[in-house]
Amino acid sequence: MHSLLPFGRWLLVLCVIFASQVQAAAINTSSGWNLPPGVTSISQEIFSLHMIIFWICVAIAVVVFGVMFWSLFAYRKSKGAKPANFHENTTVEVIWTAVPLLILIAMAIPATATLKKIYDTSDADIDILVTGYQWRWHYQYVEEDLSFFSNLGTPRSQILGEEDKGDFYLLEVDNPLVVPVGKKIRFLFTSNDVIHAWWVPDLAIKKDTIPGFINESWTIIDEPGTYRGQCAELCGRDHAYMPIEVRAVSQETYDEWLEEQRQMLAEDAAGSQREWTMDELMDRGKGVYNTYCAACHQADGSGMPPAFPALKNNPMMITEEGRDAHIDAVLYGRSGTSMPAYSGTLSVADIAAVITYERNAWGNDAGDRVQPSEISEMLSDD
Amino acid sequence: MLQVIKSVLAAFLGVQSEKNRQQDFQSRSPWPFIVTGVVMTLVFVLVVASVARWAAS
């Protein structure tokens, strides 16, 4: 027979092991086991609330289970314990009802104080309208007349396993959201199609974006850095492929970035007027195709019939007669299918380029070019 | 009347002693309990609402 440690010592050992594990997890926040403290005063407040309530739960568990296990052990039948036989004890019942009530109220007081701060979106320096799309984010800087789409930046070759996955696999975008540090930024959330959710753990923001509704949140980021997130509401097949990348930079860098964006918009506007060569269109079209079309129609144009038709050898894309229908499908979508309209999403240059690309890639030999000016004329006729 | 209020409060908390329960069931009519219950529920709702309003201001 091996001898057992006395029960009290067992309990102590277990408590020490448990507490050290928990403490390690709480302190080492990069362990991945705990809530991240984040980089804003609100996210840190939420983290401390989370820890306070966690320790309250631990204390309750230690008391309740301690009493339970001690009773089981100290009053076991083999020691000759006799069960008490009574029906009720109003005093004890009142205590065990009132104590949790008081604990809950004590928890609600600091939680309410934090909630009030979270909902106070007043006096913002910058307003950004965030719109969810299947499957990308659109950011509009309300005061700056600047807006753009933010698409998945991870190359398809990494997704298909043809290349090693990068450090920020599926957490990187082509155009990140850039914001200045130390400024109060108000986010307005809505959606263009289905319900998405904009979730950046380091900012402690997780808001549903709902078509026809505006949700609000705000943040002040103190530390410059890149903060990443994902869509947190299942929104369709590419739900996992619409990450969020927020870059917090100094005010100077932010101003420079704004200037750059304005120049790019001006260049784009100028580009829609001039004549483009086949090489220019094909080059730009390939990039647009891989970002916006390849998820369904595949990089090699083979599609996934019957839901997503093949574009390779598609009669619409290899004949002169199909040209108008082809342009129409890209601009306005195909009703009754999952093909969306791109007239409001892509610039005229992007649309012209991607149509040209589809007509001349993968052995398609329509041979014709679609010029940006042609598209802008069609759109202004509407 | 004090007995009725005490019993309604006990019902709010969900704990009532057997002695009080026996005493309540001596009562000839249930109406004092029902009316007091409704009135005290309204008072409770108003108290919670005003606490919430105060906390939000």
Side-chain angles (χ1 to χ4, degrees):
Chain A
M1 276 287 284
H2 59 91
S3 66
L4 281 172
L5 278 171
F7 180 75
R9 269 165 71 187
W10 261 108
L11 193 68
L12 192 70
V13 168
L14 280 176
C15 283
V16 168
I17 292 172
F18 178 69
S20 62
Q21 293 293 316
V22 166
Q23 211 172 5
I27 292 165
N28 180 13
T29 50
S30 61
S31 68
W33 293 98
N34 202 359
L35 189 77
V39 295
T40 69
S41 59
I42 288 286
S43 72
Q44 273 147 19
E45 250 182 66
I46 292 172
F47 180 77
S48 354
L49 271 179
H50 159 77
M51 289 316 293
I52 289 168
I53 287 166
F54 173 78
W55 286 117
I56 292 174
C57 294
V58 169
I60 293 169
V62 167
V63 171
V64 171
F65 289 115
V67 169
M68 191 177 97
F69 285 121
W70 173 74
S71 312
L72 283 172
F73 182 81
Y75 298 97
R76 60 194 189 275
K77 197 178 174 188
S78 62
K79 290 275 175 186
K82 291 266 180 295
N85 197 347
F86 62 93
H87 182 263
E88 56 168 81
N89 186 324
T90 313
T91 317
V92 173
E93 286 172 31
V94 168
I95 289 171
W96 81 42
T97 311
V99 168
L101 183 73
L102 294 175
I103 293 174
L104 284 177
I105 290 172
M107 286 172 166
I109 289 168
T112 307
T114 304
L115 271 179
K116 275 180 66 180
K117 287 185 203 163
I118 292 173
Y119 281 96
D120 180 15
T121 53
S122 60
D123 300 324
D125 300 306
I126 297 173
D127 294 294
I128 299 175
L129 175 64
V130 178
T131 309
Y133 280 71
Q134 283 178 318
W135 294 275
R136 52 189 52 86
W137 295 99
H138 183 260
Y139 299 118
Q140 183 182 349
Y141 290 69
V142 178
E143 292 90 356
E144 302 293 341
D145 195 25
L146 168 68
S147 64
F148 57 85
F149 279 93
S150 184
N151 295 288
L152 177 68
T154 303
R156 290 195 65 76
S157 49
Q158 288 188 13
I159 297 171
L160 298 172
E162 294 157 358
E163 243 181 78
D164 288 341
K165 300 191 188 331
D167 287 343
F168 301 111
Y169 179 68
L170 298 187
L171 289 173
E172 55 203 338
V173 300
D174 54 357
N175 302 308
L177 180 70
V178 178
V179 293
V181 292
K183 287 284 164 74
K184 181 162 180 176
I185 298 146
R186 181 169 70 136
F187 294 107
L188 303 162
F189 297 102
T190 190
S191 170
N192 181 59
D193 34 51
V194 300
I195 302 176
H196 304 268
W198 200 83
W199 177 37
V200 181
D202 281 332
L203 309 184
I205 296 179
K206 189 191 221 174
K207 272 278 180 212
D208 276 11
T209 72
I210 306 169
F213 285 80
I214 301 270
N215 279 335
E216 282 181 287
S217 190
W218 67 272
T219 192
I220 297 174
I221 305 173
D222 296 319
E223 277 298 301
T226 302
Y227 308 109
R228 295 166 199 275
Q230 287 172 299
C231 179
E233 183 65 61
L234 188 56
C235 60
R237 55 161 293 181
D238 278 0
H239 167 60
Y241 301 93
M242 49 183 293
I244 297 152
E245 193 178 324
V246 180
R247 261 185 224 163
V249 298
S250 68
Q251 183 67 43
E252 285 158 42
T253 318
Y254 175 70
D255 291 335
E256 278 167 28
W257 175 82
L258 271 183
E259 194 47 47
E260 242 170 63
Q261 296 298 308
R262 286 204 192 94
Q263 270 172 17
M264 274 166 58
L265 281 176
E267 274 167 33
D268 237 39
S272 67
Q273 297 312 316
R274 68 177 172 84
E275 170 102 2
W276 290 49
T277 67
M278 186 60 124
D279 284 346
E280 277 182 310
L281 288 168
M282 287 296 280
D283 193 44
R284 178 145 179 174
K286 185 173 187 183
V288 176
Y289 182 85
N290 285 331
T291 303
Y292 288 89
C293 317
C296 298
H297 294 294
Q298 305 302 303
D300 62 359
S302 60
M304 295 165 91
F308 309 119
L311 305 186
K312 188 178 174 171
N313 288 325
N314 188 315
M316 200 193 274
M317 290 165 201
I318 52 176
T319 63
E320 185 60 35
E321 295 76 51
R323 183 185 160 104
D324 288 346
H326 184 187
I327 295 174
D328 192 77
V330 175
L331 282 183
Y332 306 112
R334 300 287 293 268
S335 66
T337 74
S338 43
M339 174 70 190
Y342 284 102
S343 59
T345 310
L346 295 175
S347 70
V348 289
D350 284 343
I351 291 173
V354 79
I355 295 172
T356 305
Y357 179 75
E358 286 168 352
R359 301 180 73 72
N360 296 284
W362 333 292
N364 284 1
D365 56 357
D368 54 356
R369 284 178 289 167
V370 177
Q371 290 294 337
S373 53
E374 193 181 333
I375 300 293
S376 54
E377 241 167 71
M378 290 179 78
L379 288 173
S380 61
D381 285 347
D382 297 343
Chain B
M1 191 62 201
L2 199 69
Q3 174 67 23
V4 175
I5 291 173
K6 241 176 92 183
S7 290
V8 170
L9 282 175
F12 276 9
L13 202 61
V15 179
Q16 172 73 300
S17 70
E18 183 59 25
K19 199 182 91 210
N20 282 338
R21 195 182 73 81
Q22 296 289 359
Q23 203 173 331
D24 288 346
F25 276 80
Q26 305 290 315
S27 163
R28 231 169 289 155
S29 160
W31 285 109
F33 293 94
I34 293 170
V35 172
T36 314
V38 169
V39 169
M40 285 179 65
T41 304
L42 284 176
V43 169
F44 177 70
V45 168
L46 288 175
V47 167
V48 170
S50 48
V51 167
R53 186 164 296 193
W54 168 80
S57 67

